[in-house]
Amino acid sequence: MSLMEHGAVRPVAAVAWTSNSSTCPKDFTLISITEDGATANFTRSFAMKSGYYLCYSKDLKGGMVVSDIRLISDKDSIPHGYCFIAEHLEAKASVWKKKRVCIRMVPVGSVDTAVLDIKVTAKSKMMLQHYTYVGDVHGYVLWCRKGHFSNPMPQAKPRSVSLDLRQLSIDQPVAPLPLRPSNPPPPLPNNKLSQRRHSLHNKDTGDKSADGSIPGLTALDGVPFSLHPKFDIQANSTALQLNSQLNNIRIKSLQDIKNEYNYTFAVEESAAKRIRPSVPAEGVPSAQ
């Protein structure tokens, strides 16, 4: 059984066009001869002196693999998730655009099957066993083989340990220290403290838990609280006067308001009903 059937072959990671071996990228394999012994030089026309070759790479440093290869015409739109292969050509060279090779790139960890090998034949009647027909271009036929591949195990990166191992000893456990505020509020006079805070100072420390906190208390417990002098009745004598004024306020009913502020507009109505005196016209004697 071959290595491909065992799944011990690395998948194809990239496919490209190249003018010759000098322009072929590093770590790429150039397909210069077809499976039937012909030169795998793709030429655009008979008058061209130089053509281009197909090459592929199995370098998995980029973390991507080729999961599928397709050959489409210039009238078809590229399928979703596919891209045209790269071109590493000479300055004035170009690739025939009537049919173009496109591939699908996926992360190496997202699939377990991918393209394992690419071959080219010069005769369309020749069949390659275990290979899938991709398409024909310029008299050449493109084939690919798919299958399971061996994913190299990633090497663990060394990690630097900066902790002191002596502090990790379990023989001498250290009890956690209670949390303390880094900037406590300034002390207030005793007469301004609330009764709850005052009781906290006098409470027995035996009720505290192991970590130094008092069970049953919230974050607001212990916060100093005092009334503003404006609202302190015992400290402000004006509050008594204010209370006496509030007690003298009489709440009026709707009928009391109508009786007090009722206005009939009788004077205005009588003035509007008076007959205005007529003014005699010029040249007409008035009656005696």
Side-chain angles (χ1 to χ4, degrees), residues 8-273:
V9 178
R10 301 181 69 181
V12 176
V15 184
W17 292 114
T18 182
S19 296
N20 45 54
S21 59
S22 61
T23 60
C24 183
K26 186 181 179 181
D27 299 330
F28 273 71
T29 301
L30 188 144
I31 305 176
S32 59
I33 303 298
T34 64
E35 291 300 308
D36 44 7
T39 303
N41 189 347
F42 293 82
T43 55
R44 187 171 59 181
S45 63
F46 181 76
M48 290 186 62
K49 295 182 180 180
S50 62
Y52 46 90
Y53 299 86
L54 196 66
C55 60
Y56 62 91
S57 173
K58 292 191 175 183
D59 187 5
L60 299 179
K61 293 180 180 179
M64 304 293 287
V65 294
V66 178
S67 63
D68 190 24
I69 302 178
R70 290 189 183 184
L71 190 64
I72 62 174
S73 64
D74 56 345
K75 296 181 181 179
D76 298 333
S77 59
I78 186 170
H80 177 71
Y82 287 74
C83 62
F84 294 116
I85 63 175
E87 299 177 1
H88 303 280
L89 306 175
E90 294 178 345
K92 296 183 179 180
S94 61
V95 177
W96 191 54
K97 303 297 184 180
K98 290 295 182 180
K99 287 187 177 180
R100 304 187 64 179
V101 180
C102 59
I103 58 177
R104 183 181 182 184
M105 303 289 293
V106 295
V108 64
S110 63
V111 292
D112 54 358
T113 60
V115 176
L116 304 179
D117 192 20
I118 300 174
K119 290 186 181 298
V120 177
T121 60
K123 297 180 180 179
S124 59
K125 295 182 180 180
M126 182 178 180
M127 301 296 294
L128 297 181
Q129 189 178 6
H130 304 301
Y131 279 76
T132 303
Y133 171 79
V134 178
D136 60 285
V137 52
H138 263 298
Y140 294 94
V141 181
L142 185 61
W143 305 82
C144 72
R145 181 168 183 174
K146 300 179 182 179
H148 295 272
F149 62 91
S150 59
N151 188 6
M153 296 298 294
Q155 298 180 357
K157 297 181 179 179
R159 302 175 63 182
S160 59
V161 180
S162 59
L163 296 177
D164 191 359
L165 297 179
R166 293 175 298 179
Q167 297 180 359
L168 301 179
S169 176
I170 59 176
D171 298 334
Q172 297 178 357
V174 181
L177 297 177
L179 298 178
R180 296 180 180 179
S182 59
N183 188 15
L188 297 177
N190 295 331
N191 58 351
K192 297 298 182 180
L193 295 177
S194 62
Q195 185 67 24
R196 186 179 181 88
R197 179 176 174 85
H198 183 70
S199 62
L200 292 177
H201 286 286
N202 298 332
K203 191 174 183 180
D204 189 6
T205 57
D207 296 339
K208 293 185 179 181
S209 59
D211 59 352
S213 61
I214 302 177
L217 300 181
T218 62
L220 294 178
D221 293 328
V223 177
F225 173 79
S226 61
L227 289 175
H228 194 274
K230 180 180 179 181
F231 303 100
D232 193 351
I233 299 178
Q234 298 179 357
N236 192 358
S237 60
T238 58
L240 299 175
Q241 299 177 0
L242 180 61
N243 291 335
S244 62
Q245 294 177 0
L246 293 176
N247 295 330
N248 295 331
I249 295 178
R250 177 174 173 270
I251 301 176
K252 298 181 180 180
S253 62
L254 179 61
Q255 189 62 35
D256 295 339
I257 296 175
K258 289 183 178 180
N259 295 337
E260 184 175 355
Y261 299 99
N262 185 25
Y263 188 71
T264 59
F265 296 94
V267 178
E268 287 79 3
E269 290 181 357
S270 61
K273 293 179 180 180

